[in-house]
Amino acid sequence: MKDLFAMLCIRFAKRNTPVRKKNFLKWMMENCKQMKVKHKVDEKTEKRMTSTNLICGDLKHADVVFVAGYDTPSKVYIPGYQYYPFDEKKDHKMEMLSLVIQLLMSFIVLIALFFLIRGWSDYNIWLKIGCVIGSAVLLVAAYLFGKGAANKYNFNKNNAALSVAMTLLTQSVDKKYENVAFVFTDFSSASFMGYRQLSQMREISNKNIVILDCIASEGELFAAYNNGGKECAMSLKQIDGDIQTLDYTDAAGVFGLFRKLTYVTSGKKVDDRQVAVAHTRSRKDSKADFDRIEKVYQFLLAYMDQLGAAPKK
């Protein structure tokens, strides 16, 4: 799994544009073909954005569906930024604050560009050459600040979860489990679009959904659940007593999308129900506790084994 994790962090470090996502999915589907895994692409367009989920396995016959987001986020410029996986409203406010800061930075750069070119007529040839070069640099900077630059390092958000889910997929194939499926979702790093897309599929209406997100961060391990996902969360707790379970049966957001949801993540408890994940969407997301990643993999593998799926005939 270390080699897979390293590949995700280097070869597919940024998966934030249609081209980069397409290249990653092409590689994933090639692996599925080699393993002879049933797979398909599910696309949905929403507000001029096209989300592409990759489904591996047979959703119709699966009892449990493991979910991991494969897209990577843009960089944020908020000092001390924290991600709140269980609080859509709070996380959305952070997103809006980040956008305001980006636009403000872009505006400041454009003001600098204005002052740079206003004295053009008084510049000598060398100053004019420097002005042209400087203007080009400032225009690129303004564009990147406005659009949002791709985050360079994404070890915890979400390469750790992705490497665990992909390794579990390999194990399910080797063990010929029929009642396990995997979905790798798009647009899950800064929104729930990929999750909403999955929730609208008829095949998963009564399935146990296990979302893996930010499983290598500092703090503790959590398995948050809604009413239908409680049994799954308690099973994980029995396998590994270090996991803390959190009751989100009355929560909206992602917990309102699925009937049976267990959300596995790691971070620090802010209060009785809130979990904050630090160092994502910045250069600080260049460290990952691989012992933690291995620990998550092992208890999920044990849970998958406990399902007692009959082997394919």
Side-chain angles (χ1 to χ4, degrees):
M1 189 162 56
K2 286 186 177 180
D3 291 341
L4 174 59
F5 181 77
M7 176 179 286
L8 294 173
C9 293
I10 298 173
R11 180 179 173 185
F12 297 108
K14 299 175 183 178
R15 304 180 295 274
N16 66 307
T17 66
V19 172
R20 288 169 174 168
K21 292 176 183 180
K22 183 178 179 180
N23 290 336
F24 172 74
L25 290 176
K26 181 180 178 181
W27 174 75
M28 281 283 292
M29 288 188 284
E30 287 174 352
N31 288 336
C32 287
K33 288 179 181 178
Q34 291 178 3
M35 292 188 292
K36 297 181 180 180
V37 177
K38 182 179 180 180
H39 61 281
K40 69 175 181 178
V41 166
D42 179 59
E43 287 190 346
K44 183 177 179 63
T45 300
E46 183 178 303
K47 296 180 181 179
R48 297 183 181 180
M49 295 188 300
T50 299
S51 174
T52 306
N53 289 351
L54 178 62
I55 300 166
C56 302
D58 191 342
L59 285 181
K60 185 177 180 180
H61 295 98
D63 294 323
V64 176
V65 180
F66 292 98
V67 180
Y70 70 82
D71 62 310
T72 55
S74 60
K75 183 180 178 63
V76 296
Y77 301 94
I78 304 174
Y81 168 81
Q82 294 190 107
Y83 167 53
Y84 299 91
F86 304 147
D87 193 331
E88 184 181 16
K89 290 184 179 179
K90 195 167 187 176
D91 199 55
H92 181 68
K93 288 180 181 178
M94 298 295 283
E95 281 288 323
M96 292 299 99
L97 177 59
S98 176
L99 179 60
V100 169
I101 292 174
Q102 286 176 214
L103 294 176
L104 180 61
M105 292 172 71
S106 181
F107 181 67
I108 291 172
V109 171
L110 290 175
I111 291 176
L113 175 62
F114 169 76
F115 282 106
L116 177 64
I117 64 176
R118 69 181 299 188
W120 174 267
S121 59
D122 297 326
Y123 294 160
N124 60 34
I125 185 63
W126 296 109
L127 285 177
K128 286 183 176 180
I129 292 173
C131 180
V132 170
I133 296 173
S135 297
V137 171
L138 289 175
L139 283 172
V140 171
Y143 171 76
L144 290 177
F145 282 136
K147 180 183 178 182
N151 196 49
K152 187 175 182 180
Y153 302 109
N154 304 286
F155 286 22
N156 185 38
K157 182 69 176 169
N158 204 17
N159 286 339
L162 191 56
S163 61
V164 167
M166 292 170 66
T167 306
L168 287 172
L169 170 61
T170 302
Q171 286 293 315
S172 71
V173 173
D174 291 344
K175 298 183 178 185
K176 299 182 180 179
Y177 288 154
E178 292 183 322
N179 65 341
V180 179
F182 296 80
V183 179
F184 301 96
T185 55
D186 196 0
F187 286 103
S188 56
S189 62
S191 73
F192 289 159
M193 184 175 175
Y195 298 149
R196 285 198 304 271
Q197 178 181 345
L198 175 62
S199 70
Q200 292 165 3
M201 298 186 70
R202 293 181 180 179
E203 296 94 326
I204 61 89
S205 61
N206 200 36
K207 311 295 183 182
N208 284 295
I209 307 297
V210 180
I211 292 180
L212 311 180
D213 181 29
C214 293
I215 59 172
S217 56
E218 298 175 355
E220 301 169 286
L221 280 170
F222 298 93
Y225 60 89
N226 60 13
N227 189 48
K230 183 175 181 179
E231 183 178 348
C232 173
M234 294 308 167
S235 295
L236 296 179
K237 176 72 173 177
Q238 285 185 339
I239 295 170
D240 192 323
D242 291 338
I243 302 172
Q244 293 194 41
T245 55
L246 297 174
D247 188 344
Y248 271 76
T249 56
D250 60 345
V254 69
F255 291 96
L257 295 177
F258 303 97
R259 292 180 61 188
K260 300 179 180 180
L261 174 64
T262 302
Y263 199 120
V264 179
T265 191
S266 62
K268 294 184 178 179
K269 237 180 177 182
V270 178
D271 52 40
D272 289 341
R273 285 166 54 90
Q274 193 55 259
V275 174
V277 182
H279 307 318
T280 65
R281 305 185 68 176
S282 72
R283 287 182 174 271
K284 292 184 179 180
D285 196 3
S286 58
K287 297 180 181 179
D289 185 346
F290 207 83
D291 289 338
R292 165 69 60 79
I293 297 173
E294 182 67 28
K295 178 183 179 70
V296 174
Y297 166 68
Q298 290 297 336
F299 73 67
L300 289 175
L301 178 62
Y303 172 65
M304 190 170 69
D305 289 340
Q306 281 186 3
L307 296 176
K312 294 180 182 179
K313 296 182 180 178

